[in-house]
């Protein structure tokens, strides 16, 4: 039986961290079993802000190796770089001619970005959501796992799919947001500011644990994590965000339920909790880091994997694109 198609775009920016691992990557591993998955490294989206070419390429390969080390399997899913499949850019143009300026002007992420990058307000920042719609629609995608910040973009992809289907006949599957069922408390917060999410682009490296941090660094960062002034180890996101975050991390790394940990740590101090949490994270990451280095040290092989992924993606993308061009009267 054909499985539903799921598409996800990965931005090769910032530092992959453990929040991302628990919040997204772990879900992808599950999705990989349930869906026909395409994971695209969206390097064309990345260049809407200035990138140093050598650094962009290095980071892209780092990301692919990291995701594979976490368990994204090129035998099960299609993994490819967006720039290796020219159909994305081509469909984008066709969709651009059906996208209204007003629709893009309303995008909140665009408004935020032009406020931040005042020295480089380029056309790509504006048309970014149209490229994203092309990514999704090329593959007849049914499900798109998106966070709140991408909801508005996915809505545009849905509108464009409907608009094109109405104008030219059935061309695209109308995609839907996919919200994976996470266990309660899967959200990992910043170590030093536990009221905000652990982010891969945080300027202060003390706020996150990078996937590739060495054991000493991990233990040190967890030790410095903010807790609170009483000494009770209890899960309470509102009143004890730091301690709750440590419990979430420890639970994620060991597989033990938070309630189980609460009784296990009853009467023990924060120092104890921090040491155990740090060590559990070190143990969780050790095999992932080893696999990352194995993959990353063989760049030719990694490039070969990407090439094969692009081949599979192109086959599917070119089929959709051909239909669209034909329907639009393009010879
Ligand atoms: N814009 C997305 C982000 O920043 C990345 C992305 C690009 C994407 N194309 C996509 C996500 C297609 C889902 C589907 O997170």
């Amino acid at each position: 039986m054909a499985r539903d198609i799921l598409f996800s775009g990965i931005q090769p920016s910032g530092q992959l961290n453990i929040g991302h691992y628990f919040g997204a990557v772990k879900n992808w591993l599950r999705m990989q079993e349930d869906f026909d998955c395409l994971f695209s490294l969206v390097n064309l989206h990345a260049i809407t802000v200035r990138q140093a070419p050598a650094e962009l390429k290095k980071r892209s390969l780092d990301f692919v190796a990291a995701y594979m080390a976490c368990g994204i399997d090129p035998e099960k899913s299609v993994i490819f770089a967006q720039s290796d499949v020219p159909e994305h850019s081509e469909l984008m143009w066709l969709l651009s001619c059906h996208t209204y300026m007003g629709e893009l002007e309303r995008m909140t992420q665009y408004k935020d970005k032009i406020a931040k990058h005042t020295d480089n307000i380029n056309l790509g920042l504006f048309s970014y959501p149209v490229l994203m719609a092309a990514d999704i629609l090329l593959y007849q995608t049914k499900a798109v796992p998106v966070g709140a910040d991408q909801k508005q973009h996915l809505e545009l992809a849905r509108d464009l799919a409907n608009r094109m289907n109405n104008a030219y006949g059935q061309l695209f599957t109308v995609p839907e947001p996919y919200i994976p069922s996470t266990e309660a408390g899967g959200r990992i917060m910043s170590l030093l500011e536990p009221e905000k999410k652990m982010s891969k682009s945080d300027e202060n490296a003390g706020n996150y644990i990078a996937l590739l941090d060495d054991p000493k660094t991990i233990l040190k960062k967890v030790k410095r994590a903010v807790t609170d002034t009483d000494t009770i180890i209890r899960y309470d996101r509102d009143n004890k965000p730091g301690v709750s975050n440590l419990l979430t991390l420890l639970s994620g790394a060991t597989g033990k339920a938070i309630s189980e940990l609460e009784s296990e740590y009853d009467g023990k101090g924060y120092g104890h909790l921090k040491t155990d949490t740090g060590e559990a994270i070190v143990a969780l990451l050790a095999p992932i880091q080893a696999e990352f280095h194995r993959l990353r040290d063989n760049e030719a092989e990694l490039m070969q994997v990407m090439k094969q992924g692009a081949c599979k993606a192109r086959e599917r993308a070119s089929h959709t694109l051909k239909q669209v061009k034909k329907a639009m009267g393009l010879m």
Side-chain angles (χ1 to χ4, degrees):
M1 209 177 66
R3 290 174 300 172
D4 283 345
I5 295 167
L6 180 144
F7 186 100
S8 190
I10 301 159
Q11 284 271 13
S13 63
Q15 273 256 29
L16 272 182
N17 69 52
I18 190 151
H20 194 63
Y21 178 78
F22 287 124
V25 182
K26 261 185 117 175
N27 287 321
W28 292 1
L29 300 183
R30 223 175 321 142
M31 286 162 1
Q32 190 170 235
E33 309 302 326
D34 299 341
F35 291 89
D36 177 5
C37 289
L38 295 116
F39 296 109
S40 180
L41 184 98
V42 290
N43 50 3
L44 297 177
H45 278 109
I47 59 168
T48 53
V49 296
R50 267 313 147 254
Q51 303 281 347
E55 174 61 21
L56 176 62
K57 182 175 170 195
K58 179 188 167 294
R59 217 161 350 94
S60 299
L61 289 167
D62 285 348
F63 266 68
V64 173
Y67 282 108
M68 281 168 57
C70 289
I72 303 292
D73 181 353
E75 300 291 323
K76 292 182 184 164
S77 305
V78 182
I79 305 172
F80 69 102
Q82 190 183 28
S83 62
D84 283 343
V85 180
E87 283 79 3
H88 289 244
S89 309
E90 194 173 348
L91 180 61
M92 181 199 172
W93 177 255
L94 306 180
L95 296 178
S96 293
C97 298
H98 297 79
T99 308
Y100 303 110
M101 298 291 285
E103 287 179 300
L104 295 178
E105 280 160 359
R106 277 200 297 277
M107 294 290 169
T108 56
Q109 191 169 72
Y110 160 73
K111 287 191 266 189
D112 291 348
K113 280 186 183 171
I114 61 168
K116 235 202 266 168
H117 303 279
T118 45
D119 57 333
N120 182 17
I121 301 178
N122 62 70
L123 180 56
L125 279 179
F126 187 63
S127 57
Y128 179 114
V130 188
L131 178 59
M132 182 162 156
D135 297 341
I136 296 166
L137 300 183
L138 267 181
Y139 299 96
Q140 305 297 338
T141 301
K142 183 78 181 284
V144 184
V146 283
D149 64 325
Q150 298 299 317
K151 264 229 155 116
Q152 206 182 15
H153 294 164
L154 181 59
E155 203 48 51
L156 177 74
R158 288 169 53 80
D159 290 345
L160 285 172
N162 283 318
R163 192 171 302 159
M164 297 292 282
N165 288 346
N166 287 333
Y168 303 107
Q170 180 61 37
L171 290 171
F172 299 117
T173 302
V174 181
E176 287 181 26
Y178 175 71
I179 294 140
S181 54
T182 46
E183 302 95 273
R187 201 170 141 89
I188 305 294
M189 313 304 280
S190 152
L191 295 176
L192 300 175
E193 299 166 69
E195 301 79 21
K196 67 175 205 195
K197 207 175 121 183
M198 188 182 279
S199 158
K200 66 182 166 121
S201 44
D202 203 305
E203 273 153 36
N204 184 350
N207 272 328
Y208 58 79
I209 294 169
L211 220 53
L212 299 175
D213 274 348
D214 59 66
K216 246 171 86 185
T217 306
I218 294 173
L219 295 173
K220 198 170 70 194
K221 285 183 179 176
V222 177
K223 224 157 242 154
R224 288 194 186 144
V226 164
T227 47
D228 51 33
T229 47
D230 68 33
T231 55
I232 303 155
I233 296 180
R234 176 171 51 89
Y235 185 88
D236 179 346
R237 282 265 180 206
D238 294 330
N239 300 305
K240 301 174 72 68
V243 174
S244 302
N245 195 37
L246 290 173
L247 283 168
T248 305
L249 281 165
L250 184 58
S251 163
T254 58
K256 288 187 190 170
I258 291 195
S259 55
E260 192 184 330
L261 293 172
E262 281 176 329
S263 24
E264 196 177 310
Y265 285 85
D266 188 26
K268 292 183 183 160
Y270 290 156
H272 201 121
L273 175 65
K274 285 180 170 182
T275 306
D276 289 356
T277 303
E279 283 171 1
I281 295 170
V282 169
L284 171 80
L285 293 184
I288 294 175
Q289 295 183 348
E291 180 61 5
F292 171 83
H293 291 298
R294 192 190 68 76
L295 291 162
R296 197 61 185 88
D297 290 346
N298 193 343
E299 200 163 302
E301 198 182 304
L302 201 54
M303 295 292 266
Q304 190 56 29
V305 171
M306 296 305 282
K307 201 171 148 187
Q308 278 165 2
C311 240
K312 287 187 211 163
R314 266 202 100 166
E315 209 177 291
R316 298 160 70 154
S318 62
H319 180 76
T320 301
L321 184 65
K322 211 178 282 168
Q323 305 290 99
V324 180
K325 288 170 81 174
K326 195 169 142 202
M328 289 179 67
L330 299 164
M331 351 216 178

